[in-house]
Amino acid sequence: MSIRDTVFNARSKWMEGTGPECDVVISSRVRLARNISEYPFPHFMSEEQAEQVANAVRLAVSQKELTGVIGQLEFVDLSELTQTERQILMEKHLVSLQHIESIVHRAVVIAPDESISIMVNEEDHLRIQCLLPGLQMEETWGLADSIDDLLEQTLSYSFCEKRGYLTSCPTNVGTGLRASVMLHLPGLVMTKQVVKIVHAISQLGLAVRGYYGEGTEAYGNLFQVSNQVTMGQNEEEIIKNLQDVTKQVVSRERSTREGLLKDNRLFLENKVYRAYGTMKFARMMNSREALQLISDIRMGVEMGILEGLNYDKINELIILTRPAFLVKRAGRDLSEQERDSFRAEIIRQTLPDTKTN
Amino acid sequence: MSIRDTVFNARSKWMEGTGPECDVVISSRVRLARNISEYPFPHFMSEEQAEQVANAVRLAVSQKELTGVIGQLEFVDLSELTQTERQILMEKHLVSLQHIESIVHRAVVIAPDESISIMVNEEDHLRIQCLLPGLQMEETWGLADSIDDLLEQTLSYSFCEKRGYLTSCPTNVGTGLRASVMLHLPGLVMTKQVVKIVHAISQLGLAVRGYYGEGTEAYGNLFQVSNQVTMGQNEEEIIKNLQDVTKQVVSRERSTREGLLKDNRLFLENKVYRAYGTMKFARMMNSREALQLISDIRMGVEMGILEGLNYDKINELIILTRPAFLVKRAGRDLSEQERDSFRAEIIRQTLPDTKTN
């Protein structure tokens, strides 16, 4: 496996869909912001310093102490990738949009199964990210923590006894930790409970936003819940708080689904099967509609309405239908209409037949 | 074949879809309003007189001179039918809504293939109707004319040398003839030319209205074009005028479709296949949506996009999905939700598989 496989492959570790509570929680993510004490923060670095940081990280991730525990990681300079490939890394949430806006001495370190990615010279020198399927906050945190410890054996982090880890942006100072879960909440959306839930969650020091979509819209009923503050709580508290709140949301989503199944089974079946029929036959589909229909089908699987489909295929479809991935697959630039047409084709080919009709 | 078959069978002669210009013209219809001179018009008849009219028609349609030419016709008193069965006759346009509003000495005479139906004691004593597939105005008129002549051998029509045939409503006086065609005009609707065409047709003494739907809306892109005036033109002129105008509309619809296929093939394919996918998988569907999707699929067949489908199946679906027909099929009254569910089921079962995917 190499970065080339990564950007060609629509499957990632988090897509396996075998994690705990995978009927509601798609993935768990932990991100640590770290900086190397010898260098200014990225915004103030010279190009030469940026290059030195990148080289230091390259060395650090290849040390035996780390690879012996974590396995081989691949260090890739962003300038080695095409623009489309960089966009795919972003569509897979392995790097941020901000990270690929420049390629000067920026890099990404990726594990073959994509459960680990480290952005180099983004807003901070290092952004260590771990991503696992389902609700696995402690496991994900554990993985990030061990990588962090292993890197610290060769890198000297900017750290202050009083404030904790120092970061470019004050909102990350302290633990430098951002923990988040991606949730699929069709039941809460359909019953219009989402606004209330979002409000309640905000009261608990967590932020909720649509995973895809603009503003408050959440295309495909996908929501990201993450911690707001990085100071005043230690890592374990942040992780535990997110895990606990998520469990409550999971429970609410499940009971809502049960109620819907009991009272509106036909309505749900209609929604799910229409989505399936449209995906199996449409000749053009934009990215937003694809996310919505994928959500409807996922709900069908989650609620036992659709048979013969697995989470991994559905998760794969989310990545497969993203714009840059389609361009990569097509091997050339695509107009908007060509993209919508190719997206529909990929969906028809990928979506397995269902048993029931 | 008997009336029982008629109301159970979703197929009729006009549905064969083998008539001329059947890619645009679904059917041709002629209706003759006639009254028997010995009796007052229906609105002014006593019940006894109505019964006598019904009996006179019953005798007239069973005379050998008529059956020898036209074949056996079945005379059915509306009171012998259930309300659902009467509604089915209306859904098949064999009788009018007005006709089934009362069942007192009202009757209908039907040919086994449903190409002929005679309403007895509707607004006039007789309303002779003939319906053939495709554009066959002259043939349809010829059939109605011969039935009219054969009935006149035993019935004495109300006729005035100066005004022609006398009818209850002055708008029918003269020829008593209403000739019409049912057209499928998805191309003209999609390109928003329909309003202009409707206006132009009105200037030629013809009326256009949606075949199904309320007001100016034409569900399923189905339009009926008919003559407005029954006086001042003889039958042949009325028929020829309608035939000529229809041919012009057919030609316009076809050139529009060619243009769409040339410039927007993908858009059309998308529309057609989405309709197909929805019909093959939906679990609930209301009557209006069914008409629209049936229209999209018919367009797919007409334009050579969908293979493995024939007009007869599509025409059958129009009748199959009407409310009363569904109730008859189900064998019991249905709530709105049950009807939408049963409609979706019937559609899934009836719609054949298509070759292309």
Side-chain angles (χ1 to χ4, degrees):
Chain A
M1 290 289 281
S2 78
I3 191 84
R4 299 286 158 190
D5 300 306
T6 301
V7 296
F8 262 119
N9 194 347
R11 298 190 176 219
S12 309
K13 176 81 175 166
W14 66 267
M15 293 184 190
E16 286 170 5
T18 50
E21 333 291 357
C22 67
D23 58 324
V24 181
V25 187
I26 296 186
S27 58
S28 301
R29 177 191 301 266
V30 160
R31 182 266 284 156
L32 295 174
R34 297 290 185 259
N35 289 280
I36 304 175
S37 57
E38 295 95 323
Y39 299 95
F41 290 148
H43 288 305
F44 303 101
M45 286 193 298
S46 65
E47 281 202 26
E48 201 184 343
Q49 289 172 318
E51 191 180 354
Q52 288 167 6
V53 167
N55 285 333
V57 176
R58 187 196 294 264
L59 273 175
V61 297
S62 58
Q63 46 160 325
K64 274 191 199 135
E65 290 74 10
L66 186 144
T67 58
V69 179
I70 304 295
Q72 287 291 334
L73 299 177
E74 188 178 12
F75 181 101
V76 189
D77 203 296
L78 289 195
S79 62
E80 294 169 34
L81 303 173
T82 65
Q83 199 191 338
T84 302
E85 289 168 339
R86 292 192 291 269
Q87 280 170 350
I88 289 176
L89 293 180
M90 185 199 69
E91 287 176 354
K92 289 183 151 196
H93 292 267
L94 295 170
V95 302
S96 63
L97 174 61
Q98 197 185 341
H99 195 44
I100 62 171
E101 275 168 359
S102 161
I103 56 168
V104 182
H105 301 302
R106 292 195 171 182
V108 62
V109 179
I110 298 182
D113 67 359
E114 301 175 31
S115 61
I116 303 164
S117 68
I118 304 171
M119 289 190 281
V120 182
N121 288 333
E122 198 234 31
E123 191 183 289
D124 295 296
H125 294 150
L126 292 107
R127 286 279 177 106
I128 303 162
Q129 299 184 103
C130 294
L131 183 62
L132 292 177
L135 182 56
Q136 302 194 62
M137 280 321 307
E138 284 180 31
E139 293 78 358
T140 314
W141 157 244
L143 180 58
D145 191 32
S146 66
I147 296 166
D148 189 40
D149 288 348
L150 289 161
L151 287 173
E152 214 172 358
Q153 295 185 2
T154 42
L155 301 175
S156 159
Y157 286 152
S158 301
F159 185 83
C160 153
E161 280 303 325
K162 192 175 164 196
R163 297 196 182 80
Y165 293 100
L166 302 178
T167 56
S168 267
C169 178
T171 58
N172 292 312
V173 169
T175 56
L177 169 67
R178 182 84 67 223
S180 65
V181 285
M182 175 161 40
L183 306 177
H184 185 229
L185 305 176
L188 296 177
V189 170
M190 220 181 295
T191 55
K192 304 198 195 314
Q193 294 179 75
V194 139
V195 175
K196 218 165 52 183
I197 304 270
V198 165
H199 183 74
I201 292 177
S202 329
Q203 306 289 310
L204 302 166
L206 299 173
V208 189
R209 61 177 190 86
Y211 195 68
Y212 296 106
E214 293 143 22
T216 52
E217 277 197 284
Y219 298 161
N221 304 317
L222 295 174
F223 294 84
Q224 180 175 284
V225 181
S226 61
N227 62 313
Q228 284 269 49
V229 288
T230 52
M231 268 181 131
Q233 284 187 307
N234 67 29
E235 289 85 348
E236 284 71 20
E237 286 166 340
I238 292 171
I239 296 296
K240 187 172 183 317
N241 185 32
L242 181 58
Q243 175 97 6
D244 289 350
V245 171
T246 301
K247 282 199 168 166
Q248 286 181 43
V249 177
V250 168
S251 153
R252 184 68 161 269
E253 169 68 20
R254 280 188 189 147
S255 63
T256 302
R257 290 182 190 174
E258 279 161 27
L260 285 168
L261 259 184
K262 191 165 156 280
D263 301 331
N264 298 288
R265 187 173 183 100
L266 187 60
F267 170 82
L268 288 177
E269 288 181 346
N270 189 45
K271 196 174 172 66
V272 168
Y273 277 104
R274 277 175 180 254
Y276 184 85
T278 302
M279 290 179 79
K280 263 300 189 194
F281 285 94
R283 261 52 187 169
M284 288 169 83
M285 192 174 291
N286 66 32
S287 138
R288 182 179 172 173
E289 185 189 11
L291 281 175
Q292 187 54 53
L293 296 180
I294 290 168
S295 167
D296 291 346
I297 285 189
R298 168 182 278 275
M299 179 179 75
V301 174
E302 287 163 351
M303 293 170 102
I305 293 171
L306 269 183
E307 286 174 41
L309 277 177
N310 296 318
Y311 291 123
D312 58 350
K313 274 285 171 204
I314 296 168
N315 289 335
E316 191 181 346
L317 275 171
I318 295 180
I319 297 302
L320 275 174
T321 56
R322 300 280 87 205
F325 204 91
L326 290 176
V327 168
K328 183 77 186 167
R329 268 279 171 109
R332 63 181 181 87
D333 273 352
L334 299 172
S335 70
E336 196 181 330
Q337 179 173 318
E338 286 173 328
R339 209 160 57 200
D340 287 353
S341 161
F342 191 52
R343 179 181 290 114
E345 188 184 328
I346 292 278
I347 290 173
R348 292 200 304 280
Q349 288 169 359
T350 308
L351 193 64
D353 288 332
T354 177
K355 282 175 200 160
T356 33
N357 182 9
Chain B
M1 291 290 279
S2 79
I3 190 87
R4 299 287 158 188
D5 300 308
T6 300
V7 295
F8 261 119
N9 193 346
R11 298 190 176 218
S12 309
K13 175 83 176 167
W14 67 265
M15 291 184 191
E16 287 171 4
T18 50
E21 333 290 359
C22 66
D23 58 324
V24 180
V25 187
I26 295 186
S27 58
S28 301
R29 177 191 301 265
V30 161
R31 182 266 284 157
L32 296 173
R34 297 290 185 259
N35 288 280
I36 304 173
S37 58
E38 295 96 321
Y39 299 95
F41 289 147
H43 288 305
F44 302 101
M45 286 192 299
S46 65
E47 281 204 22
E48 202 184 342
Q49 289 172 318
E51 190 179 358
Q52 289 167 5
V53 167
N55 285 334
V57 175
R58 187 197 292 264
L59 273 175
V61 297
S62 58
Q63 47 160 327
K64 274 191 199 137
E65 289 77 5
L66 186 145
T67 57
V69 178
I70 304 296
Q72 288 291 333
L73 299 177
E74 188 178 12
F75 181 101
V76 189
D77 204 294
L78 289 195
S79 63
E80 295 169 36
L81 302 172
T82 65
Q83 200 193 337
T84 302
E85 288 167 339
R86 292 192 292 270
Q87 281 171 348
I88 289 175
L89 293 180
M90 186 200 69
E91 288 177 353
K92 289 183 152 196
H93 290 268
L94 296 169
V95 301
S96 63
L97 175 61
Q98 196 185 340
H99 195 43
I100 61 170
E101 275 169 357
S102 163
I103 56 167
V104 182
H105 300 303
R106 292 195 172 183
V108 61
V109 179
I110 298 182
D113 67 359
E114 301 175 32
S115 62
I116 304 164
S117 68
I118 305 172
M119 287 189 281
V120 182
N121 289 333
E122 199 235 29
E123 189 182 291
D124 295 297
H125 294 148
L126 291 107
R127 286 277 177 107
I128 303 161
Q129 299 185 105
C130 294
L131 184 62
L132 292 178
L135 182 57
Q136 303 194 64
M137 280 321 306
E138 285 180 29
E139 293 78 358
T140 314
W141 157 243
L143 180 59
D145 191 30
S146 66
I147 295 165
D148 189 40
D149 288 349
L150 289 160
L151 287 173
E152 213 173 1
Q153 292 183 4
T154 41
L155 300 174
S156 160
Y157 285 154
S158 300
F159 185 82
C160 152
E161 280 303 325
K162 192 177 166 196
R163 297 195 181 81
Y165 293 99
L166 302 178
T167 57
S168 268
C169 178
T171 58
N172 291 314
V173 170
T175 56
L177 169 68
R178 183 82 67 223
S180 65
V181 285
M182 177 165 31
L183 306 177
H184 185 230
L185 305 176
L188 296 178
V189 170
M190 219 180 297
T191 55
K192 303 196 196 314
Q193 294 179 74
V194 138
V195 174
K196 219 165 55 185
I197 304 269
V198 166
H199 183 74
I201 292 177
S202 328
Q203 306 288 309
L204 302 166
L206 299 173
V208 188
R209 61 178 189 85
Y211 196 68
Y212 296 104
E214 292 142 23
T216 52
E217 276 198 285
Y219 298 162
N221 304 316
L222 295 173
F223 293 86
Q224 179 175 282
V225 181
S226 61
N227 62 313
Q228 285 269 45
V229 288
T230 52
M231 268 181 131
Q233 283 188 308
N234 67 30
E235 287 85 349
E236 284 72 19
E237 286 167 340
I238 292 171
I239 295 296
K240 188 173 181 317
N241 185 32
L242 181 58
Q243 175 96 7
D244 289 351
V245 170
T246 301
K247 281 197 169 168
Q248 286 179 44
V249 177
V250 168
S251 153
R252 184 67 161 271
E253 169 68 20
R254 281 189 188 143
S255 63
T256 302
R257 290 182 190 174
E258 279 162 27
L260 284 169
L261 260 184
K262 191 164 155 282
D263 301 330
N264 298 288
R265 185 172 185 101
L266 187 60
F267 171 82
L268 290 177
E269 287 181 346
N270 189 44
K271 195 174 173 70
V272 167
Y273 276 104
R274 276 174 180 256
Y276 184 85
T278 302
M279 290 178 80
K280 263 298 187 197
F281 285 94
R283 260 52 185 170
M284 289 171 82
M285 193 175 291
N286 67 31
S287 137
R288 181 179 172 174
E289 185 189 12
L291 280 176
Q292 188 53 52
L293 297 180
I294 291 168
S295 167
D296 290 347
I297 285 189
R298 168 182 278 276
M299 180 180 75
V301 175
E302 287 163 352
M303 294 170 103
I305 293 171
L306 269 183
E307 285 175 42
L309 276 177
N310 296 317
Y311 291 123
D312 57 350
K313 274 285 171 206
I314 296 169
N315 289 333
E316 191 182 345
L317 275 171
I318 295 181
I319 297 302
L320 275 174
T321 56
R322 301 279 85 207
F325 204 90
L326 290 176
V327 168
K328 183 77 186 166
R329 269 279 172 109
R332 64 181 180 87
D333 274 351
L334 299 172
S335 70
E336 197 182 328
Q337 180 172 316
E338 287 173 328
R339 209 160 56 202
D340 287 354
S341 162
F342 191 52
R343 180 180 289 114
E345 188 183 329
I346 293 277
I347 290 173
R348 293 201 303 278
Q349 289 168 357
T350 308
L351 194 64
D353 288 332
T354 178
K355 282 175 199 159
T356 33
N357 181 11

